[in-house]
Amino acid sequence: MKPWRCWGSSGEEVMDDPLGPEYLSGSKVMPGSEPAAHCYCGHQFGQFAGQLGDGAACYLGEVKVPPGHDPEQLRDNPSGRWEIQVKGAGLTPYSRQADGRKVLRSSIREFLCSEVMFFLGIPTTRAGSIVTSDSKVIRDVYYSGHPRHERCSVVLRIAPTFLRFGSFEIFKQADEFTGRRGPSCGRDEIRGQMMDYVIEMFYPEIQQNYPDRVERNVAFFREVMLRTARLVAQWQCVGFCHGVLNTDNMSILGLTLDYGPYGFMDRFDPDFICNASDNSGRYSYQAQPAVCRWNLVKLAEALAPELPPDRAEAAIDEYMALYNGFYLENMRKKLGLLKKTEPEDEILITELLQTMHNTGADFTNTFRSLSQISCPTEGEGEAGEDLIKKATDLLLEQCASLEELKAANKLTMDPRELAMLLSMAQSNPALFQMISDRATIARQLDRLSKLKDLTETSQEELKTKHAEEWSHWITRYRKRLAQELEGQSDVQAVQEERVRVMDGTNPRVILRNYIAQNAIEAAENGDFSEVQRVLKVLEKPFSLQPGLELPAWAGKGESAERGERDEGEEQQQEAASTSTARNPVPYDSKPPSWAHEICVT
């Protein structure tokens, strides 16, 4: 296979090439390739970790866009170059105590999620392929003391560049808390060269428009800040939680980077934590905008003095306003508020999310259902009340049951630990602050309060309460929709545009954990058809695709016989596997009951 064939060649061409798997896995190096691993540092969970680097990823080279190619390919990548790297191909200089390998489970998750993000219109790195191996490594999936053998695999990743905030932290002086410093501390000339390269290659308009070096650097940082604000607003609007927003996982181009313990929300919960290792909730769904701002502060520190601190601070002060602007713009589209911008829109959105939280409504499906709520018409009278009831019944289908809400509000902390911390907060506040925080305790107490209320409520009482909440919000929503029609000569055209925009903004399908889990389990037993099927579904996340509503194995009775597994694997996946076989559900449905058992770390 010739190097130029990596760009613009079809999947069939690559699959038919006998050397394809070797090149795509890094087992064979293409002519002209100079493999290298990237050195970077990072703040992990708020602490400077010092030198990190690509412990499992290896850079193979860059591919240029050939002359005459689609100009659209250059819109988001003016450099005309695409960096190619393999992840999971083995040891690198930065593997530390690890083996540099990735397993099929995590590789499929990265492959599928990077692709669905692209088709959702969210900036992201891409995945070109997965190559599996007969080699196996031992992994303790849940850090539970039950390691098992897992099949190795390699993901081919593609992006204009994989440079990240942490790439510039290699120049960091000794950290005041950890004492660690970057490996290139004091090498200011290299930092200047890196900034020159990034701006000239990926921000050419800034390079052209700002001849003064300081002004150029300020404009560059402000653009990174703006892209980051826009990116996290897009995440929030599809219910995506990254899981590990360390500075070494933040792209210098504003791309979604490094797919690890991510998760798309099912039931709406602002405190949603997708990473089971995030005990403090630092990277929860609602914390993401603020965490990204914190990471921008660390990037600014790493760029000083090339970036004057006072100018960086002024730019960062704009962040939350920009984020809120992007967020509200996206949310108005999701609600079909296209013709007017009203002051009460923000309140309407907030009340929608609060109602979703109170009722345990499914995030994706609730937003998707909103386009079915009709705009009011003059003199509709009782018909209007019937339409509100119909809309209420529609949204009640997406709400959680009493038992689901009880399960969702169980304490995530041992009651004895909670009691001890409450006592400590009163008797020894200084010690309490060292080992916990009031926000964590408040969340646990809130869960206790909600659980108490739920235990004193019947399913019918709960449904009545939910119906009242939704009816109230739908009434307000339809009044706001009426304002969209004011002064419009063609009401029908306005309503059709509203539905079109909403259905093109609110996805029908996202990569829920249970969908990924089904595909992973099939692939671990040698059947990759479900991975391919899910990919095909996710390539059109806003559309209904006839014939692709259910997993391929649905309706076939028992699932195909699963391959042999070692004891540890059987223990950890028995419940989910059994439920998968018994409860096939459409890709666009609420998750099945067994989905809450899935744990991602």
Side-chain angles (χ1 to χ4, degrees):
M1 184 168 66
K2 297 179 181 179
W4 54 263
R5 284 185 57 191
C6 281
W7 178 267
S9 56
S10 68
E12 289 75 15
E13 285 183 284
V14 176
M15 292 290 287
D16 291 341
D17 193 312
L19 293 179
E22 293 188 66
Y23 283 126
L24 295 176
S25 66
S27 301
K28 190 175 183 65
V29 177
M30 285 185 283
S33 175
E34 297 182 9
H38 178 36
C39 177
Y40 51 79
C41 293
H43 280 79
Q44 299 191 324
F45 287 88
Q47 299 294 320
F48 185 62
Q51 179 178 299
L52 299 169
D54 283 333
C58 188
Y59 165 90
L60 297 182
E62 295 175 345
V63 177
K64 290 184 179 180
V65 177
H69 205 77
D70 183 359
E72 188 68 15
Q73 295 285 353
L74 298 177
R75 183 172 61 86
D76 296 323
N77 181 14
S79 72
R81 295 167 176 261
W82 294 91
E83 183 175 320
I84 310 295
Q85 66 169 226
V86 286
K87 184 175 181 179
L91 291 170
T92 77
Y94 309 109
S95 295
R96 299 180 290 282
Q97 304 302 313
D99 54 24
R101 298 290 183 182
K102 290 296 174 182
V103 297
L104 191 55
R105 164 178 48 85
S106 60
S107 298
I108 287 174
R109 282 177 54 83
E110 170 147 9
F111 179 86
L112 290 176
C113 196
S114 59
E115 290 305 283
V116 73
M117 293 294 268
F118 174 79
F119 289 107
L120 286 169
I122 298 174
T124 179
T125 60
R126 301 291 302 276
S129 65
I130 299 178
V131 178
T132 62
S133 168
D134 290 332
S135 301
K136 292 190 175 183
V137 291
I138 295 177
R139 293 288 188 268
D140 187 346
V141 185
Y142 304 117
Y143 305 105
S144 60
H146 297 288
R148 64 180 176 96
H149 286 91
E150 293 193 70
R151 187 181 298 277
C152 293
S153 63
V154 178
V155 179
L156 186 82
R157 305 202 301 182
I158 306 164
T161 182
F162 285 88
L163 288 171
R164 53 203 70 203
F165 289 13
S167 302
F168 290 93
E169 290 189 298
I170 62 173
F171 308 105
K172 181 175 170 56
Q173 303 286 338
D175 184 75
E176 61 177 314
F177 298 109
T178 65
R180 301 188 183 101
R181 65 181 66 209
S184 297
C185 176
R187 301 294 301 274
D188 292 351
E189 74 284 359
I190 302 179
R191 177 176 49 219
Q193 291 170 14
M194 280 181 62
M195 291 185 71
D196 291 344
Y197 168 76
V198 170
I199 297 171
E200 290 170 13
M201 188 65 68
F202 305 109
Y203 297 89
E205 290 186 1
I206 290 176
Q207 181 68 24
Q208 279 185 331
N209 295 337
Y210 294 90
D212 179 81
R213 185 177 182 85
V214 171
E215 295 303 319
R216 181 203 69 166
N217 293 348
V218 172
F220 158 65
F221 179 74
R222 189 179 185 283
E223 179 64 20
V224 174
M225 181 270 296
L226 183 146
R227 292 188 186 192
T228 301
R230 182 191 293 122
L231 177 68
V232 71
Q234 289 176 285
W235 289 349
Q236 301 301 96
C237 289
V238 295
F240 175 78
C241 196
H242 184 282
V244 198
L245 281 176
N246 300 326
T247 56
D248 53 293
N249 292 334
M250 297 283 294
S251 164
I252 203 68
L253 300 185
L255 307 174
T256 312
L257 176 71
D258 283 355
Y259 292 91
Y262 66 81
F264 285 89
M265 264 197 299
D266 295 319
R267 175 184 51 80
F268 177 69
D269 178 3
D271 291 320
F272 171 64
I273 299 170
C274 60
N275 179 1
S277 305
D278 183 8
N279 297 321
S280 68
R282 177 180 176 84
Y283 298 140
S284 69
Y285 168 79
Q286 70 172 351
Q288 289 185 137
V291 164
C292 287
R293 182 189 182 281
W294 190 92
N295 288 340
L296 283 163
V297 171
K298 295 304 167 186
L299 172 63
E301 292 174 0
L303 295 178
E306 291 275 354
L307 175 69
D310 60 326
R311 302 292 299 278
E313 184 178 352
I316 290 171
D317 285 344
E318 300 176 44
Y319 171 83
M320 285 310 299
L322 282 169
Y323 163 76
N324 285 329
F326 290 131
Y327 178 78
L328 288 173
E329 179 185 2
N330 287 340
M331 277 293 182
R332 285 192 176 98
K333 288 181 182 178
K334 291 174 77 70
L335 269 65
L337 309 179
L338 311 176
K339 300 299 181 183
K340 295 184 177 182
T341 299
E342 299 292 344
E344 66 264 27
D345 289 351
E346 192 167 354
I347 298 173
L348 185 69
I349 293 164
T350 301
E351 289 185 351
L352 168 61
L353 295 175
Q354 186 61 57
T355 304
M356 289 170 64
H357 188 208
N358 293 346
T359 62
D362 187 88
F363 184 89
T364 300
N365 291 0
T366 298
F367 275 107
R368 182 72 179 187
S369 299
L370 294 182
S371 65
Q372 298 179 51
I373 298 177
S374 63
C375 296
T377 56
E378 287 186 25
E380 60 183 13
E382 290 185 6
E385 293 180 10
D386 290 340
L387 289 171
I388 290 174
K389 184 179 185 307
K390 182 180 178 182
T392 300
D393 290 342
L394 176 70
L395 296 182
L396 284 176
E397 293 177 10
Q398 302 305 329
C399 296
S401 68
L402 178 61
E403 293 307 312
E404 287 171 335
L405 286 177
K406 284 180 179 178
N409 284 286
K410 285 183 178 178
L411 288 177
T412 56
M413 180 185 293
D414 188 301
R416 293 169 296 182
E417 181 183 357
L418 177 60
M420 179 197 72
L421 289 172
L422 286 170
S423 175
M424 186 183 297
Q426 296 294 324
S427 61
N428 195 336
L431 180 59
F432 169 79
Q433 290 179 3
M434 292 174 63
I435 61 177
S436 188
D437 60 84
R438 296 191 179 277
T440 299
I441 300 303
R443 284 195 296 269
Q444 297 299 317
L445 294 176
D446 184 55
R447 284 173 173 268
L448 269 179
S449 175
K450 288 181 178 177
L451 189 58
K452 180 178 181 296
D453 291 342
L454 290 167
T455 56
E456 298 171 354
T457 304
S458 69
Q459 179 63 51
E460 282 305 310
E461 290 172 332
L462 183 71
K463 186 175 181 179
T464 300
K465 182 181 178 183
H466 286 178
E468 290 173 355
E469 291 193 55
W470 277 117
S471 179
H472 174 75
W473 184 83
I474 291 167
T475 300
R476 287 201 59 176
Y477 178 48
R478 295 185 81 236
K479 286 181 179 178
R480 176 62 181 85
L481 290 177
Q483 294 177 270
E484 292 286 294
L485 304 179
E486 292 174 357
Q488 300 294 325
S489 58
D490 191 340
V491 171
Q492 183 65 27
V494 172
Q495 298 205 39
E496 288 175 358
E497 181 191 10
R498 168 182 164 257
V499 172
R500 178 181 57 80
V501 170
M502 291 178 74
D503 286 348
T505 305
N506 296 313
R508 186 183 69 86
V509 179
I510 41 97
L511 184 61
R512 299 178 189 264
N513 272 340
Y514 83 89
I515 295 176
Q517 184 66 25
N518 282 343
I520 289 166
E521 289 188 14
E524 286 180 333
N525 289 283
D527 179 5
F528 287 85
S529 63
E530 183 62 15
V531 175
Q532 294 164 345
R533 187 179 181 87
V534 169
L535 177 61
K536 193 170 183 179
V537 171
L538 297 177
E539 285 175 347
K540 295 181 179 179
F542 302 101
S543 305
L544 176 65
Q545 300 185 64
L548 292 175
E549 296 90 350
L550 287 160
W553 47 264
K556 296 180 181 179
E558 290 297 316
S559 62
E561 184 176 342
R562 300 178 183 272
E564 293 184 5
R565 288 178 172 163
D566 60 47
E567 183 180 354
E569 182 175 358
E570 290 175 353
Q571 288 176 346
Q572 294 176 43
Q573 295 196 348
E574 180 180 1
S577 300
T578 301
S579 300
T580 303
R582 293 175 181 170
N583 299 312
V585 295
Y587 295 122
D588 63 352
S589 77
K590 291 169 59 180
S593 58
W594 59 268
H596 76 274
E597 300 168 8
I598 299 171
C599 177
V600 184
T601 59

